[in-house]
Amino acid sequence: MSDGYDRLAETLDILDELLSEMDMKRSDALDLGRLSHEACLRESAVETLLAGRRLPEVEFRYTVVDKIKFLMETRLKKDKDSIGRERLRPYSAAEIARAVDKTPQWLSLLLKKASTPSLETTGKLSKFFDVPSNLLLEWPPETLTRILNSRVIPELRDAHGCGTDGPRVPPQAMKLALRLGNAKLKPAQEEALHLFIDSIKASL
C-alpha cells in the first residue's frame, strides 16, 4: 500500500505551477497554522512534508494516536467559568470516552500503549471532533494531499479565475482573501477594511 509521498509530490508540483501563473509564492498562499489544524499534524511536520521530505518512519498506530492527541489539544469545548464567562477548554477524558461508548480508562490505555481503535470507534471519534471520517486512518502525506486537492488548490483556482473569461484578481487581493480564509467579518470590520484599502489606493 502506498504511503502517499508520491501523490503528495505530484500535488505539490500542481500547486507550484498554479502559484507561478499567479505570481505568488507558497508563503503567500499557504497558511501553515490552518493546514496543521486541518491535518491534525504539528506545524513542523507540515513544513517537512511541504519541503518534499519524509517524516520519521513509525508504526501506523503511533500516527493514529498522535492525531487523537492533537485533536484533544486543539478541538476545544465552549464552556462557562464559575462566574458565567464564556471560555474554551479541552474536552475531558470522560466526555470523549462517553462519546465513543468507552471508559476514561480505555482512553488512557489507548494513548499510553498507542493502540489502534476499531473502525467503529475511529468513526465515532471523528464525528465527536467534527473531522472527516477518514482523517484518523490516513498517513500524514495522504492527509495533506487531500487537503491541498480538496480545498487549497480549488480556492486558488477560484481566486485566479481559472476557466473563466472574467478579469483576473490581482495577486495582492488574492493574498488578502487567502489570509482571511472563511473568516466572517462584522459590518464594522468590513467597512474598516474597505477604508484601509481605499487609503492605500489613494496613496499610490
Side-chain angles (χ1 to χ4, degrees):
M1 180 178 175
S2 170
D3 55 12
Y5 284 99
D6 289 345
R7 186 152 182 257
L8 176 59
E10 293 171 0
T11 298
L12 289 174
D13 285 343
I14 294 170
L15 174 66
D16 288 337
E17 184 178 348
L18 178 59
L19 289 174
S20 177
E21 292 176 8
M22 300 167 71
D23 193 25
M24 294 174 67
K25 299 177 294 186
R26 285 189 190 178
S27 57
D28 298 323
L30 301 181
D31 183 332
L32 195 61
R34 186 178 178 187
L35 285 174
S36 168
H37 186 83
E38 284 182 84
C40 289
L41 298 171
R42 307 294 170 188
E43 288 193 14
S44 59
V46 175
E47 286 181 315
T48 297
L49 293 171
L50 289 174
R53 300 193 302 270
R54 285 178 169 263
L55 298 174
E57 291 189 10
V58 296
E59 292 182 39
F60 185 65
R61 59 195 177 102
Y62 291 107
T63 295
V64 176
V65 168
D66 281 347
K67 285 185 177 181
I68 294 173
K69 289 179 178 178
F70 189 93
L71 287 170
M72 293 174 66
E73 294 171 12
T74 59
R75 271 52 171 186
L76 306 178
K77 179 179 181 178
K78 287 185 178 180
D79 205 348
K80 292 186 178 180
D81 62 18
S82 58
I83 59 174
R85 294 178 301 188
E86 287 193 353
R87 62 169 186 168
L88 294 174
R89 66 164 177 83
Y91 286 96
S92 69
E95 289 170 324
I96 298 169
R98 191 182 310 118
V100 297
D101 301 318
K102 301 290 185 181
T103 64
Q105 292 76 17
W106 169 87
L107 180 61
S108 177
L109 194 62
L110 173 80
L111 299 177
K112 285 180 181 178
K113 291 196 171 185
S115 304
T116 304
S118 67
L119 287 175
E120 180 183 3
T121 302
T122 299
K124 290 179 179 179
L125 282 169
S126 300
K127 183 177 181 179
F128 177 76
F129 286 113
D130 192 25
V131 296
S133 58
N134 57 337
L135 184 141
L136 294 175
L137 301 176
E138 297 171 320
W139 287 100
E142 292 176 327
T143 302
L144 187 56
T145 299
R146 174 175 53 78
I147 293 169
L148 292 174
N149 282 322
S150 64
R151 180 184 65 77
V152 177
I153 291 175
E155 285 181 357
L156 287 170
R157 284 177 170 154
D158 286 345
H160 189 41
C162 292
T164 69
D165 296 326
R168 296 292 174 90
V169 180
Q172 300 93 330
M174 284 190 285
K175 293 174 187 178
L176 178 60
L178 291 167
R179 287 180 70 87
L180 285 172
N182 294 323
K184 300 294 183 182
L185 297 180
K186 296 179 180 178
Q189 293 173 321
E190 188 173 347
E191 179 63 23
L193 181 60
H194 290 166
L195 289 172
F196 179 66
I197 293 173
D198 288 343
S199 69
I200 292 177
K201 287 173 62 179
S203 67
L204 297 178

